[in-house]
Amino acid sequence: MIDFSKCKVFNKSYAGANGSKICIEYNNEKYMLKFPSAPTKKTELSYANGCVSEYIGCHIYEMADIPVQKTILGKYNKNNKEKLVVACKDFTDIGIILQDFGSLKNQIIDSINNGYGTELPDILQTIEEQNSINSIELKERFWDMFILDAFLGNFDRHNGNWGFLYNQYTDELKLAPVYDCGSCLFPQADKNMIKKILENKGEMNTRIYNFPASAIRIDNKKILYHKFLTTTDNIDCLYAIKSIYEKLNINSILNFIDNIEEIDNLQKTFYKTMLEKRYDLILTPAYDRANQLLKDISVENECIDNEYER
């Protein structure tokens, strides 16, 4: 396991909740080192699995060919206490500033809600009306994240933890790599909870169909991933479902988790089981439906074109 304890520490700071963060130098590059959140109650895992969630989530994004922050698991020793940490490569630079989607949303004068309001129609309206970045590219990123977050069980993808890199010299925006995946894969489940979920089908199904839900809302209600993805007619979402599903290889994901040396067999079993179940029960039916709808739309458009040519 990589020991980050002796790495050079910089004064650069990072905002956000969910654990302490420091800026270090590793292999001549800056990384944000994230520590596990302080537990609100005593658990066997001491919430260290939040760092593992970040690591696994980011690597699954990478497997789906989505630009994502590089992450490395390791340890950090301080005052004779060893913590499991995750190093996240810093993708900002001099003159390159991270700006979140909420700040872009604030620029839409007629938006019903403020920048951090997470109503889906309002978010989609912002994507269409803003003129700072290509709306098609922005829309694709939003839905790609939504689909992968559904697979990973991310309950906290809001307008403040995805966004853009702003170039102060050219006044240009480009999409930032995906970051902040620490709320994936039940980061606060201790060993007792993990065993309970694995041993009880009802507990398992509750965590597939009912929660975690998305932070995105419709009519002020959090979106249930399974229900939304198996009923939506949003064409952009349907294309994202098809694209992401066809890029993911569930066996490669399971093998990846098996090879994480920093976690024990119980955690490996838990992550593999939850991902396999969410793949089979959420993504697969959503993909089958989306694929059929898109075929029907293609046939319908072809018929319209043929009729027009006549």
Side-chain angles (χ1 to χ4, degrees):
M1 189 185 302
I2 298 172
D3 187 352
F4 295 108
S5 306
K6 295 182 180 179
C7 291
K8 179 180 178 180
V9 178
F10 294 93
N11 289 323
K12 182 175 182 178
S13 60
Y14 301 97
N18 299 325
S20 301
K21 307 172 182 71
I22 61 174
C23 180
I24 64 166
E25 182 179 73
Y26 176 71
N27 284 350
N28 298 316
E29 294 181 303
K30 283 188 173 69
Y31 280 79
M32 175 180 66
L33 197 65
K34 295 182 71 171
F35 293 79
S37 299
T40 54
K41 60 180 179 178
K42 186 176 181 180
T43 67
E44 292 183 59
L45 291 180
S46 298
Y47 288 59
N49 46 346
C51 293
V52 178
S53 295
E54 184 82 53
Y55 177 76
I56 294 176
C58 286
H59 277 76
I60 290 176
Y61 263 92
E62 186 176 19
M63 292 178 184
D65 200 28
I66 305 299
V68 65
Q69 188 173 39
K70 179 181 178 181
T71 55
I72 307 170
L73 274 180
K75 63 182 179 179
Y76 193 90
N77 288 283
K78 188 173 183 179
N79 300 327
N80 295 320
K81 292 183 179 180
E82 183 176 293
K83 295 181 181 292
L84 180 65
V85 296
V86 59
C88 306
K89 188 174 181 181
D90 192 330
F91 45 73
T92 63
D93 204 344
I94 297 173
I96 306 296
I97 300 172
L98 178 64
Q99 293 185 177
D100 59 32
F101 179 77
S103 63
L104 179 68
K105 193 168 178 287
N106 271 334
Q107 296 178 9
I108 305 302
I109 298 172
D110 295 328
S111 177
I112 298 172
N113 301 299
N114 66 29
Y116 297 94
T118 54
E119 283 288 323
L120 179 60
D122 201 33
I123 289 173
L124 296 180
Q125 179 184 351
T126 296
I127 290 174
E128 293 293 343
E129 292 186 3
Q130 60 79 38
N131 55 16
S132 299
I133 193 167
N134 183 283
S135 62
I136 296 175
E137 183 182 358
L138 183 55
K139 193 186 307 177
E140 287 177 353
R141 174 61 60 84
F142 172 79
W143 285 118
D144 284 346
M145 287 193 307
F146 189 90
I147 305 308
L148 279 167
D149 285 341
F151 174 49
L152 295 167
N154 190 344
F155 60 85
D156 197 38
R157 180 74 66 195
H158 50 75
N159 298 346
N161 59 12
W162 71 285
F164 321 93
L165 295 176
Y166 172 65
N167 189 318
Q168 290 182 305
Y169 304 114
T170 65
D171 194 38
E172 293 177 329
L173 285 181
K174 70 175 184 178
L175 284 169
V178 174
Y179 60 97
D180 200 354
C181 295
S183 296
C184 299
L185 295 171
F186 310 91
Q188 296 182 356
D190 61 18
K191 289 189 176 182
N192 289 330
M193 179 57 70
I194 285 174
K195 291 175 183 177
K196 183 178 180 181
I197 295 170
L198 290 175
E199 294 169 0
N200 187 306
K201 186 177 180 181
E203 293 282 352
M204 175 81 68
N205 286 339
T206 295
R207 285 163 180 80
I208 293 170
Y209 297 113
N210 298 335
F211 70 84
S214 172
I216 308 301
R217 298 170 180 262
I218 295 178
D219 295 331
N220 205 31
K221 294 180 180 178
K222 290 186 174 182
I223 293 173
L224 299 179
Y225 284 122
H226 174 267
K227 182 178 180 180
F228 183 86
L229 293 182
T230 55
T231 59
T232 184
D233 291 326
N234 183 292
I235 190 70
D236 300 302
C237 182
L238 295 175
Y239 276 116
I241 293 169
K242 178 176 170 61
S243 174
I244 294 297
Y245 188 87
E246 292 177 354
K247 289 177 181 177
L248 288 178
N249 184 316
I250 189 63
N251 290 323
S252 295
I253 292 171
L254 301 181
N255 289 336
F256 163 72
I257 292 173
D258 266 330
N259 290 321
I260 301 175
E261 297 178 355
E262 293 84 354
I263 60 176
D264 61 28
N265 287 332
L266 177 62
Q267 285 177 276
K268 290 180 182 180
T269 298
F270 178 66
Y271 293 132
K272 290 191 297 180
T273 301
M274 296 308 298
L275 287 171
E276 197 164 22
K277 291 291 186 181
R278 295 182 76 84
Y279 182 88
D280 290 341
L281 300 177
I282 297 179
L283 289 193
T284 298
Y287 170 77
D288 290 341
R289 177 178 176 272
N291 206 29
Q292 186 58 56
L293 287 176
L294 292 173
K295 286 180 180 178
D296 292 344
I297 291 171
S298 178
V299 170
E300 182 179 345
N301 289 339
E302 185 176 347
C303 291
I304 292 172
D305 290 340
N306 290 338
E307 186 67 26
Y308 178 77
E309 290 175 0
R310 290 177 187 175

